Amino acid sequence: MINVNGFSHDALEAMRIEKSQPLTITYSKDDNGVEKFKEELSTNTYCPALTLRLESKEVPFEVCLNVGRRISQALMHNSYLTILDMSNNKIGYEVVSELANSLRTNSSLTVLDLSNNDIDDRCAYSLSDSLMHNMSLTTLHLDNNDINDIGASSFVEVLENHNDVLTVLTMKRNQGISDEVLDRIAKATKHGRSPLGAAGIGASASSYLALARLNCLWK
């Protein structure tokens, strides 16, 4: 795995290496270079997995929004990235709505982690609506957010009637979701485990397992 600080020249070069390893970007203070990174990600056919870390208190909220939106917009055109980890970035509705829009047309992403991102019912509805069109995403982590029954229920109808591809949906530590709704989601997904994760793979674990399998290719 390659770790880079910011959207520097090193980040661009790391994505351009044939058979590139999974890339982790840790962000610090500003969004310099993010537009060029978006352009590269839009057409990149080497980088299989991307982790974005904006959780530093030094990162202004406006920078988090701009970076998150640019990455989300790039997914509309990218056809190679399979794993995207944007957990712990506090990106909220503005970024998630852009991401949901890109998921409608993206056909490569299989694992998406949006845990701990201030995601509410509006975000949940946008994401569930995108699953009516997306037929590649198999794993979605929405743990430790602000989703209630209304937002969680929006996934049930989609999973029961429109999408049979998503098989892992975790919603641990969303205090507003009742056991009844969680049970309905568990039945709607094919893996048959509670979205609370008590009986199966925990939050982000399937993402890390997928990354581990990718890393084996580079040993």
Side-chain angles (χ1 to χ4, degrees):
M1 184 178 294
I2 301 174
N3 294 281
V4 178
N5 183 24
F7 295 97
S8 61
H9 177 74
D10 290 341
L12 295 177
E13 288 301 308
M15 293 190 69
R16 292 168 180 166
I17 301 174
E18 188 174 359
K19 294 185 178 180
S20 175
Q21 298 182 36
L23 175 64
T24 296
I25 294 180
T26 302
Y27 221 54
S28 54
K29 296 181 180 180
D30 56 46
D31 53 0
N32 292 335
V34 69
E35 189 63 35
K36 288 185 178 180
F37 188 86
K38 170 198 167 184
E39 294 173 1
E40 177 65 33
L41 182 60
S42 295
T43 58
N44 184 273
T45 57
Y46 295 135
C47 183
L50 175 63
T51 298
L52 190 64
R53 290 286 177 257
L54 303 175
E55 68 267 26
S56 171
K57 294 181 180 179
E58 297 180 4
V59 182
F61 179 66
E62 294 77 12
V63 171
C64 290
L65 287 182
N66 185 40
V67 172
R69 293 183 70 176
R70 294 297 181 269
I71 298 299
S72 299
Q73 291 164 4
L75 285 181
M76 186 174 294
H77 307 285
N78 181 283
S79 60
Y80 190 79
L81 191 73
T82 59
I83 300 173
L84 177 60
D85 183 353
M86 295 180 71
S87 60
N88 304 303
N89 290 319
K90 304 295 183 182
I91 51 179
Y93 178 74
E94 289 86 352
V95 174
V96 173
S97 61
E98 291 267 11
L99 184 57
N101 188 49
S102 293
L103 285 175
R104 288 171 169 264
T105 57
N106 181 277
S107 60
S108 64
L109 202 67
T110 60
V111 178
L112 176 61
D113 193 340
L114 295 176
S115 300
N116 195 29
N117 270 309
D118 294 332
I119 290 176
D120 56 14
D121 287 340
R122 290 188 304 164
C123 298
Y125 182 82
S126 295
L127 289 168
S128 63
D129 185 64
S130 71
L131 293 179
M132 295 182 65
H133 308 274
N134 181 285
M135 292 298 146
S136 65
L137 196 68
T138 63
T139 301
L140 176 60
H141 295 299
L142 296 174
D143 306 296
N144 197 29
N145 282 298
D146 299 316
I147 302 172
N148 294 302
D149 273 354
I150 294 175
S153 296
S154 67
F155 286 96
V156 176
E157 194 274 336
V158 173
L159 294 173
E160 287 180 341
N161 301 302
H162 301 284
N163 185 306
D164 60 359
V165 177
L166 189 76
T167 56
V168 177
L169 174 59
T170 62
M171 291 186 177
K172 295 197 299 182
R173 294 182 297 278
N174 282 270
Q175 300 300 323
I177 306 178
S178 66
D179 291 342
E180 178 183 357
V181 173
L182 288 172
D183 287 341
R184 291 178 63 196
I185 295 176
K187 292 177 181 178
T189 53
K190 306 305 179 185
H191 66 308
R193 301 188 181 110
S194 168
L196 285 172
I201 295 176
S204 301
S206 60
S207 300
Y208 300 143
L209 287 173
L211 280 170
R213 287 194 292 269
L214 281 171
N215 280 326
C216 287
L217 299 174
W218 318 116
K219 294 181 179 180

